[in-house]
Amino acid sequence: MADFERLQPNWKIRPFRLGDAPAARRLIESVWHEHFHHHPDPFVRDFIYSRLSDVDKAETVYGDRAIFLCAIAEDAIIGTGAIKRLDDRECEMTRMFVASPCQGRGIGRAIADDLIGFACNAGYDRIRLSSNNALAASHRLYERMGFQPTSPWDPAGDDYSRYYVLRISE
């Protein structure tokens, strides 16, 4: 894996490519591990590890009105984000992860902006997302972007996560 500490500020965002899955999975797992490896609840601690089949098959899962993006620096994946189709009017922003040494550089915001633009162009009316309660910096970003808190769509979801929605059409 690349030495993220020495990466130049030059990075770009591009669609997921065939062969990106292992590096994208490693990034997501490492960011999750960093935040939750000491969490007292094993559900939270191990949540992500069994739920990445969409990343492993992203070239087929993210097709019809869906997209998976990667932020790249020096050929390393340093950030991810995706739009997943829920129905004709609503999509979900998911897989928002940025390598810790790269946080604070606007990468997460840039990925989210590109995903919102994609959702608008795809004709969605709403974007929903969920974010673990412990990820306060992510919550601040989403709220600055206009996402509004909403009721959980997962049973007992508010035990672990915050839920947001962004209306993108009038």
Side-chain angles (χ1 to χ4, degrees):
M1 187 174 278
D3 179 5
F4 293 129
E5 297 293 340
R6 64 176 188 78
L7 290 177
Q8 299 300 311
N10 299 329
W11 49 269
K12 65 179 180 175
I13 298 171
R14 63 156 171 80
F16 182 95
R17 294 181 184 159
L18 188 63
D20 282 345
R25 180 185 258 278
R26 278 192 305 275
L27 170 72
I28 292 166
E29 289 176 344
S30 70
V31 172
W32 190 268
H33 179 78
E34 181 177 315
H35 287 284
F36 300 109
H37 74 282
H38 290 301
H39 197 281
D41 187 333
F43 176 80
V44 173
R45 192 173 50 243
D46 300 330
F47 177 79
I48 202 76
Y49 301 107
S50 63
R51 289 170 174 80
L52 293 177
S53 64
D54 64 309
V55 175
D56 296 333
K57 301 173 191 163
E59 56 274 349
T60 56
V61 170
Y62 294 95
D64 181 36
R65 293 179 66 203
I67 192 168
F68 192 106
L69 297 176
C70 297
I72 308 295
E74 295 184 11
D75 296 324
I77 294 176
I78 60 170
T80 61
I83 288 289
K84 183 168 42 173
R85 181 183 184 277
L86 298 174
D87 61 35
D88 287 342
R89 303 187 68 96
E90 186 174 38
C91 61
E92 184 171 9
M93 185 182 296
T94 186
R95 300 298 177 231
M96 291 291 298
F97 291 91
V98 175
S100 294
C102 301
Q103 292 174 3
R105 297 182 189 180
I107 296 166
R109 174 67 189 244
I111 293 169
D113 284 341
D114 283 3
L115 293 173
I116 291 168
F118 174 87
C120 287
N121 290 334
Y124 292 111
D125 297 328
R126 295 172 15 127
I127 302 171
R128 74 180 197 185
L129 66 84
S130 63
S131 178
N132 187 282
N133 286 329
L135 302 175
S138 298
H139 305 155
R140 287 190 301 273
L141 170 65
Y142 300 138
E143 290 167 7
R144 282 193 311 267
M145 297 182 79
F147 282 87
Q148 299 295 312
T150 193
S151 301
W153 49 84
D154 286 333
D158 54 354
D159 291 346
Y160 301 106
S161 299
R162 290 189 186 183
Y163 292 78
Y164 292 94
V165 65
L166 177 68
R167 298 189 194 294
I168 54 176
S169 72
E170 301 300 320

